[in-house]
Amino acid sequence: MSLLTHSTRALSGALILSLAVLIGAAGLLAINSAQGADHRDSPATTGNAPLDITDVYAFRDPTANDNLVVGFGVNGVTTPDQNANARFSSTGSYLIHVDNNGDLNDDATVTVKFDNSDPQKFTITGLGSTPITGPVTPAGSAPNITAAGGIKVFAGLRDDPFFFDLTAFKHFVAGPYVPAAGLRAAGDGAPADTFAGTNVSYVVIDLPITALTGAANSSTGVINAWVSTDTGSGQLDRMAIPAINTALIPADQKDNFNKGKPSTDAATFQATAKTTMDGLRSAVDAVLNGPVGPEDG
């Protein structure tokens, strides 16, 4: 599993690049099930939208360099008429995992849970001895920001930040061609965001980096981070850099991948992912080598 790697020396531009590259790769392989970065990426998650992770973000707070912002979304592809019914799971859990020493095991775990009230309330543990509680922002309301001990939390609907031209993607897969605009063929119009106007339920936490690392300051070290969801009887989904499961893992292994953990990914899934990636490279070469010139996948 590719992790969100946050260098506490500086925000890594490679993180943003990796997100963009892998989203692009997803557009060539996830023919039927792809609904976004990791929207509805496996049979089990498709049936449990409140615990289906769509995207994960981690970056330094641009207004407070010693703070880290971590955000993750669920309930992908929520249309405006569904806004009022979009809720976080009240029976499952949302976990932010942090590895501080490179062994791909948890050194810190932040757990977010929601009750079944209306509006819902969240409880966050793992960031100090006192749990952080606050309300979910109702649809259409001004954001409720809960502040506690230098930590700020938001939970509620946001516009889906993912961009993907699903129409062009389907056309390309049905009969590959040299794209003229995005994945669009010449004369097929401008790229269009399939996810425009849809929403996602987000949890966003802004916190001191030292709250996760335990270090004396926020200027040294590297954080590997990922997010998972648990139904109460076991892990359902996990994610860091998007599109790994969507693009590189075969359909019959997607649920098992989502139940896995980073420390065993190399042994369990690396060979499979490489085979898929090699196939993608060959497919792109076959389409572009003649008209465009030599391409490296």
Side-chain angles (χ1 to χ4, degrees), residues 18-111:
S18 296
L19 293 173
V21 168
L22 286 171
I23 287 170
L28 294 176
L29 286 176
I31 296 175
N32 295 315
S33 63
Q35 298 291 335
D38 264 3
H39 303 53
R40 304 174 184 173
D41 67 325
S42 74
T45 60
T46 298
N48 195 337
L51 291 175
D52 177 14
I53 305 167
T54 59
D55 288 288
V56 179
Y57 298 94
F59 53 91
R60 281 186 185 267
D61 183 338
T63 65
N65 196 54
D66 289 333
N67 280 19
L68 180 71
V69 179
V70 179
F72 63 88
V74 295
N75 285 324
V77 202
T78 299
T79 55
D81 61 302
Q82 299 170 328
N83 284 352
N85 297 320
R87 294 170 64 83
F88 293 95
S89 173
S90 60
T91 57
S93 302
Y94 305 83
L95 299 96
I96 301 171
H97 308 265
V98 176
D99 161 37
N100 292 326
N101 60 15
D103 65 359
L104 303 185
N105 291 305
D106 292 34
D107 294 307
T109 306
V110 178
T111 302

Side-chain angles (χ1 to χ4, degrees), residues 4-277:
L4 287 176
T5 301
H6 168 76
S7 170
T8 57
R9 290 183 291 274
L11 175 62
S12 173
L15 167 61
I16 305 302
L17 177 61
S18 296
L19 293 173
V21 168
L22 286 171
I23 287 170
L28 294 176
L29 286 176
I31 296 175
N32 295 315
S33 63
Q35 298 291 335
D38 264 3
H39 303 53
R40 304 174 184 173
D41 67 325
S42 74
T45 60
T46 298
N48 195 337
L51 291 175
D52 177 14
I53 305 167
T54 59
D55 288 288
V56 179
Y57 298 94
F59 53 91
R60 281 186 185 267
D61 183 338
T63 65
N65 196 54
D66 289 333
N67 280 19
L68 180 71
V69 179
V70 179
F72 63 88
V74 295
N75 285 324
V77 202
T78 299
T79 55
D81 61 302
Q82 299 170 328
N83 284 352
N85 297 320
R87 294 170 64 83
F88 293 95
S89 173
S90 60
T91 57
S93 302
Y94 305 83
L95 299 96
I96 301 171
H97 308 265
V98 176
D99 161 37
N100 292 326
N101 60 15
D103 65 359
L104 303 185
N105 291 305
D106 292 34
D107 294 307
T109 306
V110 178
T111 302
V112 185
K113 292 188 175 184
F114 293 85
D115 68 9
N116 199 31
S117 60
D118 190 14
Q120 288 184 285
K121 296 181 177 63
F122 61 77
T123 299
I124 299 176
T125 54
L127 291 175
S129 58
T130 304
I132 299 172
T133 61
V136 172
T137 298
S141 301
N144 287 319
I145 308 296
T146 298
I151 298 169
K152 294 183 289 186
V153 182
F154 166 85
L157 281 174
R158 297 286 89 182
D159 180 58
D160 194 330
F162 187 78
F163 182 100
F164 187 58
D165 190 341
L166 188 58
T167 298
F169 161 70
K170 288 180 176 179
H171 289 171
F172 183 87
V173 170
Y177 48 79
V178 177
L183 274 179
R184 296 257 170 170
D188 195 28
D193 182 10
T194 304
F195 297 89
T198 66
N199 298 310
V200 184
S201 298
Y202 257 89
V203 174
V204 182
I205 305 175
D206 185 327
L207 73 165
I209 293 172
T210 54
L212 293 175
T213 63
N217 62 69
S218 63
S219 300
T220 60
V222 173
I223 300 172
N224 293 315
W226 64 102
V227 173
S228 70
T229 58
D230 192 290
T231 62
S233 58
Q235 183 170 296
L236 177 74
D237 198 8
R238 59 165 174 147
M239 187 178 168
I241 292 176
I244 298 296
N245 199 13
T246 303
L248 302 181
I249 304 301
D252 62 352
Q253 298 182 46
K254 289 185 183 297
D255 281 334
N256 286 336
F257 180 88
N258 280 337
K259 295 176 182 178
K261 55 184 181 179
S263 60
T264 59
D265 276 347
T268 308
F269 295 107
Q270 185 175 27
T272 297
K274 182 180 184 301
T275 297
T276 305
M277 194 174 295

